Amino acid sequence: MSGQSLLVPGEITPVRSVPGNIRRPEYVGKPAPTPYTGPEIQDSDTVERMRIAGRIAAQAMEEAAKHIAPGVTTDELDRVAHAFMVDHGAYPSTLGYRGFPKSLCTSVNEVICHGIPDSTVLRDGDIVNLDVTAYINGVHGDNNATYLCGDVDEESRLLVERTRESLNRAIKAVRPGRQINVIGRVIESYAKRFGYGVVRDFTGHGINSSFHSGLIIPHYDSPHATTVMQPGMTFTIEPMLTLGTHDYDMWDDGWTVVTKDRRRTAQFEHTLVVTETGADILTLP
């Protein structure tokens, strides 16, 4: 395992501006979003609008990832993704969501999720997750991926590779008529082959005109996840695997979630729609 020192909070730069002509999600400027009461199954028009949002989010993530290198700050990655989204007419969904101050999440090494971009400088051997969501035409598209920074140790590289594979396997398990818990069953059984922890308290979620609709997609085999998948359902799958425990601590910022044993963790995510025969990924660049 890498001998990197543990992450500490950096300084957060002022909130980046979004042109006034770009439509905001309803939660911006509010302490919390209005609870979603609409359907989990979307019509074809909504799905196609989500495909546009998903493509922008995927392209923004790719653009930011090009800048991952030792010596670059996580705030610089935020700047790049922010500029890409607004240049394409999209609002960065995380900006102002429950007060989150940035346009993507940057989760480095032991950070499971929701890391806030700041003055933290990436180091050779780090792994960093970028989580990017775009809002355009009234809908969201959400994706994330974990990237290698410089020369990364084999244990961390395999964790990243296998976490990506766990997402791929989970997507292949999506079928109408199956219960949601088949997704977590596939991820958990694969992760256990390598002794990885599977984060339980942070999950995939329904997504559409709402960033988080209320539908929960666990990444372990939950007996409570009995909702049956149906064509037109839209949600994210975003497994978080760890080298050690799935237990976590949260920083005082109320967002940054780190593994309790401070061992490394990786995550990958796509937004998808259930089809008649499986799943269609909406967050492709």
Side-chain angles (χ1 to χ4, degrees), residues 36-43 205-208 212-216 227 230-235 273:
Y36 179 72
T37 57
E40 299 295 348
I41 297 171
Q42 307 305 312
D43 60 27
H205 53 88
I207 184 171
N208 37 66
H212 300 86
S213 72
L215 177 66
I216 301 299
T227 299
Q230 301 176 60
M233 288 181 72
T234 50
F235 52 81
V273 58

Side-chain angles (χ1 to χ4, degrees), residues 44-66:
S44 58
D45 173 69
T46 302
V47 170
E48 289 313 305
R49 285 186 284 126
M50 289 180 65
R51 195 184 305 278
I52 293 169
R55 183 181 304 124
I56 293 172
Q59 291 172 339
M61 184 174 73
E62 278 195 342
E63 194 62 32
K66 291 176 184 176

